Amino acid sequence: MQKNFTKLENFGHSLSAPSYLIQPTTIDEINEAFALAKKSGLAISARGAGRSYNDAALIGGGIILDMQGMNAITEWDSATGLITAQPGVTLEQVWQKVEPDGWWPPVVSGTMTTTLGGCLAANVHGKNNFKVGPIGEHVVEFTAILPTGAEITCSQKKNGDLFYSMISGFGMLGIFTSVTMQMKRIYSGLLSVDAQPSRNLHEHLTSLLDDAPNYDYIVGWLDGTAGGKSLGRGQIHAARYLNEGEDPNPQETMKLSNQMLPPRIFGVIPKSLLHYFMSPFVNNLGVWAVNTAKYIASLPKHTFRESHAAFHFLLDYVPDWEYAYGRGGLIEYQSFVPKETAEDAWKEMLQLSLRTGLPTYLGVTKRHRPDKFLLTHAVDGFSLAMDFKVTDNNRVKLGSMLQEFDRIVLQAGGKFYFAKNSETTAETAQAFYGKETIAKFKKLKKRCDPHGLLESDLYRRIFG
Ligand SMILES: Cc1cc2nc3c(=O)[nH]c(=O)nc-3n(C[C@H](O)[C@H](O)[C@H](O)COP(=O)(O)OP(=O)(O)OC[C@H]3O[C@@H](n4cnc5c(N)ncnc54)[C@H](O)[C@@H]3O)c2cc1C
């Protein structure tokens, strides 16, 4: 088993941690890594594709188990839509396997580069969270290995407590080794999308709330640079699957070649170079200009058809787009706030960010519903994800603004997501989960990992 010492980063390149890197390809090798961690007194943490915005897949001075080597789809039944795969399989591999047969993953993240292990550990949500819940609700069964060496199988009925806590548990209880999931039947490679501008935050949230029940997916883009009467303006994209018969040529639209994102922009510029062209615009003035143009272009309401891949994975159009944020990288702050309090809370946060001179450069809203997973981040309300550029000059100011955001979100009865925010403290986590949930998680941790081998920098920050 090869062990290299290397420096790993979070997705936004704002954090880094030196660690030993092991890439297991078998369950025996995971067990060997556990034995090594125990013998050497080092903490160990799983890592998928490293797409978490924070320190969830980092462990300074510890051992990283890079799960990307376990990347085989082991079973696919195109009649029932059941897929079984190893944890390092990406969502890209999954949708490309199932889509030509008329299926689509029930829940996807905004990038297709994430692994199934990472998606289960975070219990990712999609733009359809209000309708179908997080990815965990579509997992039929998973197998995992615990630091004790025990190999377990979990479903809602079998080892239910571990099913509901390992999914959402950020790899702190055990390592997923295989996942069986139910795919969603589709009758076209296209979605019907309604795009509608919203003039301010009230209109934005009203549209998310009122329109969601009529669609399969809903997502909002929010212009964080607009103030005054336009505070919270943006555009809502609401999409629905096509019914059987609506697409005259489903075999054609479901072909992979008609789903793939194009390799060149305007047929000329290779996508891999695009982030260099974006860099000059990643500042307050540039983002204001781009957002204003984007808002005007979004008028008036219109309807169009779009491939599943283009609708879901817009951010993948520009590979390495995060590098456009410069040397200090970016962080994402995502808050989940009940529908009754979201408007006031986000008004206060957006106004504060404008006053501080640190508007979000990307704002994304979604509609959510609660779920039964132990470390759930969902609420009956909305989420707002905000991306901030980090520089040597703004680091301290940004940190105190986000602390103020935490206060506003907690006061509004909101929650945070362990795949995104880098600042959440143990006290904040206790405030939104409550003592009982934290105690329950710690008890499970003792049972699954009595020697405390599994740790990440996130774990140390929240539970350490
Ligand atoms: C552009 C972009 C868009 C995104 N959009 C969304 C979105 O729409 N919705 C959403 O919910 N999230 C979203 N995310 C966040 C992302 O989906 C999560 O951070 C996800 O966990 C990343 O998967 P990964 O494979 O990169 O895992 P990593 O980031 O490498 O790891 C995440 C966690 O999973 C654990 N883990 C990894 N593999 C295993 C395993 N085999 N067993 C046990 N634990 C394991 C790690 O220890 C870590 O705690 C987005 C991220 C990006 C960069």
Side-chain angles (χ1 to χ4, degrees):
M1 193 172 42
Q2 186 118 8
K3 181 174 86 175
N4 300 315
F5 200 65
T6 185
K7 195 178 88 173
L8 292 168
E9 293 187 339
N10 62 332
F11 168 73
H13 309 291
S14 56
L15 302 167
S16 67
S19 14
Y20 294 98
L21 189 67
I22 293 178
Q23 193 175 67
T25 51
T26 62
I27 291 177
D28 282 349
E29 285 178 0
I30 299 176
N31 265 326
E32 278 174 41
F34 279 141
L36 178 70
K38 198 169 165 194
K39 196 170 129 205
S40 55
L42 294 175
I44 186 164
S45 184
R47 181 175 168 104
R51 292 303 192 270
S52 294
Y53 279 85
N54 60 3
D55 48 3
L58 297 176
I59 176 70
I63 301 171
I64 283 285
L65 268 184
D66 175 354
M67 300 301 294
Q68 292 176 107
M70 294 179 74
N71 57 7
I73 294 176
T74 45
E75 277 178 62
W76 165 235
D77 185 338
S78 61
T80 61
L82 277 182
I83 192 165
T84 300
Q86 291 184 315
V89 162
T90 60
L91 286 181
E92 180 173 18
Q93 282 174 274
V94 174
W95 79 256
Q96 294 195 358
K97 178 81 180 172
V98 306
E99 211 260 354
D101 292 332
W103 300 87
W104 184 258
V107 171
V108 294
S109 50
T111 170
M112 61 172 106
T113 54
T114 49
T115 65
L116 287 181
C119 287
L120 259 63
N123 202 13
V124 299
H125 59 263
K127 299 171 180 73
N128 51 358
N129 188 257
F130 63 96
K131 193 155 186 174
V132 305
I135 198 165
E137 291 190 18
H138 307 273
V139 172
V140 176
E141 182 178 286
F142 67 76
T143 59
I145 183 150
L146 306 183
T148 54
E151 284 180 46
I152 54 164
T153 301
C154 301
S155 64
Q156 292 187 18
K157 295 220 169 93
K158 191 174 179 187
N159 293 318
D161 55 347
L162 290 182
F163 181 86
Y164 283 104
S165 52
M166 287 189 68
I167 297 179
S168 79
F170 281 85
M172 296 184 254
L173 301 176
I175 308 291
F176 298 113
T177 48
S178 174
V179 183
T180 301
M181 274 179 63
Q182 176 65 57
M183 298 290 112
K184 157 94 185 139
R185 176 55 96 192
I186 52 170
Y187 298 100
S188 169
L190 301 173
L191 291 164
S192 172
V193 186
D194 289 335
Q196 177 182 314
S198 54
R199 286 173 300 180
N200 51 48
L201 188 61
H202 180 72
E203 225 175 80
H204 195 112
L205 297 183
T206 305
S207 174
L208 282 180
L209 187 67
D210 293 348
D211 294 345
N214 306 319
Y215 291 92
D216 295 303
Y217 299 98
I218 198 159
V219 62
W221 161 73
L222 185 143
D223 176 2
T225 62
K229 279 191 197 150
S230 300
L231 188 85
R233 76 174 177 188
Q235 192 185 27
I236 308 291
H237 277 195
R240 63 171 184 84
Y241 296 110
L242 298 187
N243 296 319
E244 201 169 0
E246 263 189 282
D247 180 350
N249 204 351
Q251 293 313 324
E252 188 61 23
T253 57
M254 288 191 295
K255 266 191 192 156
L256 284 189
S257 52
N258 289 322
Q259 292 286 328
M260 298 291 199
L261 308 179
R264 288 171 186 272
I265 303 290
F266 308 124
V268 183
I269 309 169
K271 283 193 312 178
S272 54
L273 296 182
L274 205 64
H275 67 89
Y276 293 111
F277 293 92
M278 286 165 62
S279 276
F281 295 95
V282 184
N283 53 56
N284 286 5
L285 188 64
V287 173
W288 172 82
V290 170
N291 280 2
T292 304
K294 190 170 158 183
Y295 181 72
I296 292 167
S298 77
L299 304 165
K301 181 176 175 176
H302 54 286
T303 300
F304 55 98
R305 286 187 179 181
E306 191 172 32
S307 75
H308 289 263
F311 177 79
H312 288 291
F313 307 125
L314 184 70
L315 290 168
D316 291 339
Y317 262 100
V318 184
D320 302 328
W321 58 265
E322 70 279 10
Y323 284 108
Y325 277 76
R327 216 167 37 88
L330 84 146
I331 52 176
E332 183 159 291
Y333 184 97
Q334 189 173 23
S335 51
F336 293 74
V337 183
K339 57 185 189 306
E340 295 78 12
T341 50
E343 187 175 333
D344 285 345
W346 288 340
K347 204 177 257 179
E348 200 180 339
M349 284 160 57
L350 289 167
Q351 281 166 344
L352 176 61
S353 68
L354 289 171
R355 270 201 316 275
T356 315
L358 294 172
T360 171
Y361 288 172
L362 179 68
V364 176
T365 55
K366 289 184 194 136
R367 173 84 174 104
H368 297 268
R369 69 147 162 84
D371 59 67
K372 291 199 287 186
F373 293 88
L374 187 61
L375 298 185
T376 177
H377 54 270
V379 294
D380 181 4
F382 313 104
S383 67
L384 168 61
M386 304 162 102
D387 285 5
F388 294 101
K389 179 173 177 166
V390 184
T391 66
D392 290 341
N393 287 338
N394 80 4
R395 205 177 293 268
V396 173
K397 204 159 73 160
L398 183 59
S400 25
M401 184 178 85
L402 298 184
Q403 269 178 16
E404 190 55 17
F405 278 12
D406 276 7
R407 186 194 62 73
I408 297 167
V409 172
L410 285 183
Q411 207 164 35
K415 287 184 178 169
F416 301 103
Y417 181 22
F418 288 157
K420 302 286 179 84
N421 302 25
S422 332
E423 310 73 27
T424 313
T425 61
E427 294 72 37
T428 305
Q430 179 131 325
F432 70 82
Y433 278 134
K435 279 191 176 135
E436 208 178 303
T437 300
I438 301 275
K440 204 166 165 187
F441 181 74
K442 286 190 169 170
K443 203 168 157 198
L444 283 165
K445 173 79 174 159
K446 262 221 151 81
R447 187 175 117 204
C448 296
D449 183 15
H451 300 289
L453 300 182
L454 282 171
E455 278 190 1
S456 59
D457 286 348
L458 164 77
Y459 178 83
R460 289 175 172 170
R461 177 159 58 85
I462 303 289
F463 299 99

